[in-house]
Amino acid sequence: MALESVGIVGGGAWGTALGVSARRAGRDVMLWAYEPETVAEINQQHRNALYLPGVALDPAIKATAKLGEVAACDLLLMITPAQELRAIAGELASHMRDGQPLVIGAKGIEQSTGQLLSQVVAEVLPRVRTAVLSGPSFAAEIARGLPAALTLATASEAHGRALAHALSHASFRCYWSDDVAGAEIGGALKNVYAIAAGIVVGKKLGESAHAALVTRGFAEMMRFGTALGARRETMTGLSGLGDLILTCGSPQSRNMSLGSALGEGRSLGEVLKGRLSVTEGVYTASAVVEIAAARGIEMPIAQAVHAVVSGLATVDEAIVALLARPLRPEG
């Protein structure tokens, strides 16, 4: 399987950073962006100052506003916002080839259907070979060439190894897994718990409370993931626990910084209004809570986050409700 060229569908920070990384791995890179000004800036000035400031792009990285051009690449990375993936995949459909590899780098659950993104792609692009890239990684660090290790999940070992070799280099290591659902669930749910972790920071509840929140959030992730067929070792790996630790522990995380702002007393609308990039946990929370309710999975922290971002409870009310839960054996 020749994977010499990589097409990136999404010109935000993460898509651009993955384009930089793919170029370091020796691939030819074409990046699709929605905004004409982003396309022009990448092609003419070799930068994406709006989404990834301070990073000089290899002049060999090209950008386009035409999905057909990016779909001509050997391998596609889908780095669109999770809630827009279905629509953009639909526009790609007529350009894709049978068996063409497509790696989902977005993290989330479709709010309207409760589907994992691989399930959305299977519906809209049934002819492609789907994989999922997930794990602890900040766009700015990847773009700077700092070391990172991620999970690359796909059903076929041969396919997974080929993709891993195409995308990996000295500072960007991909570890293959066949647990696609597990990789997706960890990547989606960690955003919800990062909002909760940010609220703890914003409310100045202390490091002890932060540690407890992250630990109990991981317990909820484990319950949810295993109920949906994920393996425990995946949930304790890079795309589960690893991504949770990163996203709940740094203000670089969009979700944690949003939670911190909510904890400080700012409104959700006020915070989102000033953001260019999507904060996926806001949308994933409602999908997670709906799935958990249908399957009888106990997830009080996720429910609290959903209540806050949906306007069903204030931050203080959500905290009081969590602290009033009955004492019970840990598990």
Side-chain angles (χ1 to χ4, degrees):
M1 181 166 48
L3 298 174
E4 296 303 322
S5 59
V6 175
I8 312 285
V9 183
W14 185 223
T16 305
L18 286 176
V20 171
S21 181
R23 184 62 193 153
R24 284 198 188 105
R27 309 281 81 80
D28 296 325
V29 176
M30 174 72 74
L31 192 150
W32 175 86
Y34 177 77
E35 304 92 340
E37 58 272 22
T38 299
V39 173
E41 186 179 41
I42 292 171
N43 287 333
Q44 297 168 17
Q45 301 178 46
H46 313 301
R47 65 181 188 181
N48 188 348
L50 187 62
Y51 292 103
L52 200 61
V55 175
L57 305 181
D58 188 322
I61 297 175
K62 304 301 181 184
T64 181
K66 298 178 181 179
L67 284 170
E69 291 184 357
V70 79
C73 293
D74 298 328
L75 160 65
L76 256 64
L77 303 184
M78 284 290 286
I79 319 296
T80 64
Q83 308 309 319
E84 297 176 16
L85 185 141
R86 181 182 292 273
I88 295 174
E91 294 182 39
L92 270 172
S94 63
H95 303 291
M96 300 298 288
R97 304 181 296 277
D98 286 347
Q100 188 172 6
L102 183 145
V103 178
I104 301 169
K107 296 177 181 180
I109 296 175
E110 191 173 51
Q111 188 177 32
S112 60
T113 64
Q115 288 184 320
L116 300 177
L117 300 185
S118 63
Q119 295 171 321
V120 175
V121 169
E123 283 187 4
V124 182
L125 298 171
R127 297 185 299 163
V128 305
R129 299 183 70 183
T130 305
V132 168
L133 181 68
S134 190
S137 47
F138 284 142
E141 294 183 356
I142 298 302
R144 289 164 56 200
L146 298 180
L150 292 87
T151 298
L152 184 58
T154 186
S156 162
E157 180 175 357
H159 186 218
R161 291 188 184 279
L163 293 174
H165 283 288
L167 296 174
S168 296
H169 52 85
S171 62
F172 188 86
R173 299 179 59 81
C174 296
Y175 290 86
W176 173 76
S177 168
D178 63 356
D179 187 3
V180 176
E184 286 194 88
I185 290 166
L189 267 67
K190 57 92 181 182
N191 288 328
V192 178
Y193 298 110
I195 294 176
I199 290 173
V200 169
V201 172
K203 291 292 291 184
K204 295 182 171 56
L205 299 180
E207 298 296 337
S208 300
H210 182 269
L213 182 284
V214 175
T215 304
R216 297 313 303 160
F218 179 61
E220 289 189 17
M221 278 181 57
M222 186 73 80
R223 284 198 296 271
F224 187 92
T226 53
L228 270 66
R231 293 201 298 268
R232 294 181 66 87
E233 58 265 32
T234 307
M235 302 307 296
T236 59
L238 291 166
S239 60
L241 180 60
D243 213 356
L244 181 72
I245 291 170
L246 180 75
T247 312
C248 290
S250 171
Q252 288 188 67
S253 160
R254 292 192 300 269
N255 292 279
M256 185 176 178
S257 64
L258 178 134
S260 183
L262 295 177
E264 292 168 356
R266 297 173 63 189
S267 70
L268 180 66
E270 178 189 357
V271 179
L272 294 179
K273 185 178 180 180
R275 295 194 165 199
L276 291 170
S277 301
V278 175
T279 307
E280 295 286 8
V282 172
Y283 307 98
T284 301
S286 64
V288 166
V289 167
E290 188 170 337
I291 294 168
R295 292 175 172 263
I297 308 168
E298 189 178 17
M299 303 185 70
I301 299 174
Q303 290 168 346
V305 172
H306 168 64
V308 169
V309 300
S310 301
L312 301 175
T314 66
V315 167
D316 288 338
E317 288 168 345
I319 292 171
V320 168
L322 285 173
L323 293 178
R325 286 176 54 78
L327 300 176
R328 50 176 284 180
E330 184 177 15

